[in-house]
């Protein structure tokens, strides 16, 4: 039998799954626009792994909470929910800033300058910061420690490959535009 907090978590996960489907539709539309503008895709080798990984994450969150009957962890769960909401806000700030240039693939349109506004003023990869935070926080909302650990570590390996492929594809113009931007943790500048 599902507890009341598990039912709420199931609802949250349902919304998160629906959001991912909407993101895939948006990504597909934006990718088609990028290709129509001469975009070239790079790093295709890891893309399917990434899709499967993120799908398994959603399944694992649910399975661990329901099959192992993880209890709601009280204050930690509320804190994790707050972190997950902040991750979503950062994700949509990045997506909105990129506009129709955002998609889940690595598609480079030759001649376009890198986007340096929004959260990209502070970080090279704000969307990946959001993903890191989300993969840690979402399972902890309802005490799914195993999922949080396994998928955080797996995501680190996946991001290692993904970021190298992305930065290589974006090339020297990108490297020069972001030479003073940290990859993940914003730098606090004085003066």
């Amino acid at each position: 039998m599902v507890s009341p907090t598990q039912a709420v978590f199931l609802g949250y996960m349902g919304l998160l799954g629906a959001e991912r489907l909407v993101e895939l539709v948006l990504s597909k539309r934006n990718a088609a626009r990028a290709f129509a503008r001469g975009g070239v895709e790079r790093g295709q080798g890891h893309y399917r792994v990434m899709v499967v990984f993120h799908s398994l994450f959603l399944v694992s969150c649910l399975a661990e909470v329901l099959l192992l009957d993880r209890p709601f962890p009280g204050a930690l769960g509320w804190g994790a929910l707050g972190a997950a909401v902040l991750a979503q806000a950062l994700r949509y700030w990045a997506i909105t800033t990129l506009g129709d240039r955002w998609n889940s693939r690595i598609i480079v349109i030759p001649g376009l300058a890198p986007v340096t506004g929004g959260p990209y003023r502070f970080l090279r990869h704000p969307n990946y910061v959001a993903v890191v935070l989300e993969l840690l926080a979402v399972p902890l909302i309802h005490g799914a420690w195993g999922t949080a650990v396994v998928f955080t570590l797996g995501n680190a390996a996946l991001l290692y490959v993904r970021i190298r492929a992305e930065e290589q594809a974006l090339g020297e113009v990108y490297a020069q535009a972001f030479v003073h931007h940290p990859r993940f943790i914003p730098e606090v500048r004085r003066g």
Side-chain angles (χ1 to χ4, degrees):
M1 183 148 164
V2 175
S3 74
T5 59
Q6 287 174 331
V8 171
F9 184 71
L10 286 171
Y12 176 82
M13 293 303 295
L15 290 172
L16 194 60
E19 175 196 38
R20 290 301 181 268
L21 292 175
V22 169
E23 285 179 8
L24 287 175
V25 169
L26 177 63
S27 175
K28 188 174 182 176
R29 184 194 74 194
N30 288 346
R33 288 178 176 172
F35 287 133
R37 295 170 64 192
V40 178
E41 186 171 5
R42 305 272 197 250
Q44 300 98 316
H46 70 272
Y47 184 73
R48 285 187 183 183
V49 172
M50 188 174 74
V51 169
V52 169
F53 179 84
H54 284 274
S55 299
L56 287 175
F57 168 74
L58 297 174
V59 171
S60 183
C61 285
L62 293 170
E64 184 173 351
V65 168
L66 296 175
L67 298 177
L68 299 179
D69 199 28
R70 298 288 194 216
F72 177 72
L76 177 66
W78 289 112
L81 177 61
V85 169
L86 285 174
Q88 291 298 347
L90 179 57
R91 175 196 313 284
Y92 283 102
W93 188 18
I95 289 172
T96 301
T97 299
L98 291 174
D100 70 356
R101 290 170 69 173
W102 177 84
N103 67 76
S104 59
R105 298 179 175 274
I106 301 172
I107 303 172
V108 178
I109 302 171
L112 283 184
V115 173
T116 57
Y120 296 91
R121 290 180 305 204
F122 310 106
L123 297 167
R124 292 184 200 185
H125 301 289
N127 190 54
Y128 298 147
V129 171
V131 171
V132 167
L133 184 57
E134 183 179 58
L135 292 182
L136 180 62
V138 167
L140 295 179
I141 292 171
H142 213 287
W145 299 93
T147 297
V149 170
V150 168
F151 281 86
T152 296
L153 294 174
N155 188 53
L158 189 57
L159 282 180
Y160 177 79
V161 171
R162 173 77 175 189
I163 288 171
R164 289 182 65 182
E166 189 171 298
E167 289 185 354
Q168 183 179 14
L170 291 169
E172 189 60 33
V173 173
Y174 170 85
Q176 289 175 0
F178 286 95
V179 69
H180 298 294
H181 290 67
R183 279 194 173 92
F184 297 113
I185 300 172
E187 198 172 73
V188 177
R189 297 184 185 176
R190 296 186 179 146

